[in-house]
Amino acid sequence: MKRILLIEDEPSIAKLQRDYLEINQFEAHVQHSGEEGLERALNEEFDLIILDIMLPKLNGFEVCKRVRAVKDIPILLVSAKKEEIDKIRGLGLGADDYITKPFSPGELVARVKAHLSRYERLSERNHTKKLIKVHHIELDKLARRVFVYNQEVTFTTKEFDLLLFLITHPNQVLSKEQLFENLWGFDSTGDISTVTVHVRKVREKIEQNPAQPQYLETIWGAGYRFNI
């Protein structure tokens, strides 16, 4: 039975979510504050976390950041906030999904099942493959080496991190803000324009025609997408 951690400060909402999860054969545990939720998330084994943003003592963004630093499990952010900047921030901190209140319990359960299934597929793939191979590109994560058409190509640290992040988030539109916060951090002394520079350098190394990229595509007004 999969173990789910619910971090939600509204008891009635937490009870409804827990009941629906248990009906669907999940083992659900509830914490009502960010601090208590973070402690359990770090010290116990869970398969997925459902995390409200507006929490007492410690908000969901900070909880997400600290959990993601040490654990690779699905994190679903839940919030009444509809602003795009909150979604961008949450996804940039490593959340796998952002659900806006109000939503049906059935939708929540469906998303939980989808993310658990995806993580299981990725885990199986990571256990069976030492290299990440996409199209004509191979990445050796441990050795931090990149091969393009079977020839090793030199990547800087940030170029490698950017390519790895894009490849492991395939077919998703990722904004400059998401990439900058995830790879550099908003507290970095760098500028967000560095994302554009690094994307251009990565394209020059993986694309046959960087001026007309086939894989690392610009989605105008939105960000970048790595096509698989």
Side-chain angles (χ1 to χ4, degrees), residues 8-9 19 29 47 53 55-56 62 72 74 82 90 118-119 123 126 161 183 187 203 207 219 224-225:
E8 166 63 63
D9 65 328
D19 289 348
H29 300 259
D47 297 290
I53 291 178
L55 293 168
E62 187 62 27
D72 184 25
K82 296 181 172 63
R118 183 175 68 86
Y119 261 69
S123 296
N126 289 337
D161 291 342
L183 300 175
D187 295 333
R203 276 198 185 121
E207 299 277 0
I219 308 300
Y224 302 99
R225 180 176 63 208

Side-chain angles (χ1 to χ4, degrees), residues 118 122 125 129 132-137 139 163-174 206-207 213-217 224-228:
R118 183 175 68 86
L122 288 175
R125 193 181 308 164
K129 292 185 178 181
I132 297 176
K133 184 174 177 61
V134 179
H135 303 303
H136 56 278
I137 306 162
L139 279 78
L163 179 60
L164 177 61
F165 189 79
L166 289 165
I167 282 179
T168 53
H169 294 78
N171 304 320
Q172 299 180 36
V173 177
L174 301 167
I206 67 170
E207 299 277 0
Q214 183 178 357
Y215 307 109
L216 180 43
E217 182 181 6
Y224 302 99
R225 180 176 63 208
F226 194 92
N227 298 315
I228 291 184

Side-chain angles (χ1 to χ4, degrees), residues 121-131:
R121 292 196 303 270
L122 288 175
S123 296
E124 290 174 1
R125 193 181 308 164
N126 289 337
H127 282 308
T128 57
K129 292 185 178 181
K130 294 181 179 180
L131 298 178

Side-chain angles (χ1 to χ4, degrees), residues 155-198:
F155 277 66
T156 66
T157 298
K158 286 301 181 186
E159 289 169 3
F160 183 91
D161 291 342
L162 175 61
L163 179 60
L164 177 61
F165 189 79
L166 289 165
I167 282 179
T168 53
H169 294 78
N171 304 320
Q172 299 180 36
V173 177
L174 301 167
S175 69
K176 291 180 184 179
E177 290 81 6
Q178 283 177 265
L179 294 171
F180 186 76
E181 182 168 0
N182 190 80
L183 300 175
W184 283 269
F186 274 133
D187 295 333
S188 170
T189 56
D191 186 271
I192 199 168
S193 61
T194 192
V195 174
T196 304
V197 174
H198 281 75

Side-chain angles (χ1 to χ4, degrees), residues 36 104 152 206 221 226:
E36 293 169 348
S104 70
E152 185 169 4
I206 67 170
F226 194 92

Side-chain angles (χ1 to χ4, degrees), residues 23-63:
I23 288 171
N24 284 273
Q25 306 304 309
F26 292 108
E27 180 184 326
H29 300 259
V30 178
Q31 294 297 146
H32 296 298
S33 77
E35 286 185 351
E36 293 169 348
L38 176 63
E39 182 178 359
R40 290 200 69 179
L42 296 180
N43 293 300
E44 298 182 36
E45 292 301 319
F46 292 98
D47 297 290
L48 181 142
I49 297 173
I50 300 171
L51 174 61
D52 190 29
I53 291 178
M54 303 300 292
L55 293 168
K57 298 183 181 179
L58 197 66
N59 69 47
F61 289 129
E62 187 62 27
V63 174

